[in-house]
Each structure stands twice: as C-alpha cells, then as structure tokens.
Amino acid sequence: MSNSIVAGPAHQRSECAIKPSAAVTGNDAWNRVLPALRRLDITLQDAVAVLKAGLSTEATADPFHGLYITDQQVERYLSNPPGTPSFMAPSAASDTTHLEGLSWLRQWFHLSTFDLELIVIALAPELDLRYERLYAYLQNDVTRRRPTVDLALNLLCDSAEERISNEVISGLAAA
C-alpha cells in the first residue's frame, strides 16, 4: 500500500508522498481550523444582524416565518436586481489571517482565499451542528440545513458582480 494521493487540477496532477510524521492529528487539526470557524461566526453574526434589520416586526414575531412567502416579500424580491447579495454585510476580505492554519490546503490544491472560505462554510456543519440551524435561519427555510451556493455567495460577496465572477471562477455555476 502506497502513502500517496493525487492533488491539484487534473492537468497538473502528480503523486505526492505523505510523510506520517507530517500528519496533523487531534488538537493540532482543531487548532488549525478554529480561527476560520471563529471568523465564520463573525460573518454569520453580521449576516443575521443585516437580515433581522430588514425584517418587519411582524415577521420576527411570526412563529411560521420562513414557511410561507408574504406579498411584501415577493415585492421586495422583485424590486432587487438579480444577483444582489441578500446580506451585504461588512466584509474583511483583505484579512486572511484566520485561514493561516489551512495554508497547507491552499498550497496542496492551489486554492484561492475564496475557495478556502467555501470549504470552511461547507465543513462547519460537519464539525458543529449549530451551523445547520444558522444556515437554515439565514436561508429562511428550516429544511435547508446545509449551505447552498446562494448562501455561500451571500456570505462572501459584496455585490452582484462579485457573486457572478466568483461563481464562474470557482466553477460553482456547473455544480
């Protein structure tokens, strides 16, 4: 049995030996991902605040909110241009220190910062189930407990143009 994996884009794949001494285990692995999850928490807090600010007091008090669509919501959806981010929360795109523990992943697979952020969003519910409920809340759908492309783009992009360019760059449109 060989200790090798295939990494990188299909046209650049090569076998890379994994040294057992270089393997990340237990607390070290958790400590590498924890800053990224903490930054995700801040992003989610900002998104929830923006979402709550946009909801009427009736909607926040309605126990069935998210299970039906009101006329007011339909009007709001139709008044926004396509691709407009739902949250438009303040971003700290230039600050990537929370991803330093994942630098090995970036180098190994030639990932961008945006790609790493997507991985953190997708991985979070596998590490902590509270993210399922947060994602359902932000997607206004109790059945959507996993992040969708739309949610990820709303969390990471500040404009429709950025959403489209990141969607194309990351190949999300084909997913």
Side-chain angles (χ1 to χ4, degrees), residues 23-38:
V24 178
T25 58
N27 286 338
D28 188 37
W30 182 249
N31 289 334
R32 287 183 181 212
V33 76
L34 192 56
L37 291 175
R38 285 187 178 138

Side-chain angles (χ1 to χ4, degrees), residues 2-6 15-18:
S2 161
N3 275 344
S4 64
I5 66 168
V6 177
E15 289 203 18
C16 301
I18 299 176

Side-chain angles (χ1 to χ4, degrees), residues 53-132:
L55 294 176
S56 66
T57 53
E58 303 171 355
T60 56
D62 184 357
F64 299 108
H65 177 71
L67 298 177
Y68 63 92
I69 301 170
T70 66
D71 291 340
Q72 182 183 17
Q73 289 172 314
V74 170
E75 289 174 20
R76 190 182 44 174
Y77 295 149
L78 292 173
S79 69
N80 289 335
T84 303
S86 300
F87 309 130
M88 293 182 135
S91 75
S94 60
D95 177 23
T96 60
T97 55
H98 61 285
L99 297 172
E100 287 175 359
L102 303 175
S103 61
W104 64 273
L105 193 60
R106 175 194 312 267
Q107 293 168 356
W108 194 278
F109 294 102
H110 309 285
L111 301 174
S112 68
T113 298
F114 184 78
D115 295 332
L116 285 176
E117 296 282 9
L118 288 175
I119 289 170
V120 171
I121 289 170
L123 181 64
E126 299 300 328
L127 300 174
D128 188 341
L129 291 178
R130 71 190 173 102
Y131 289 103
E132 285 188 343

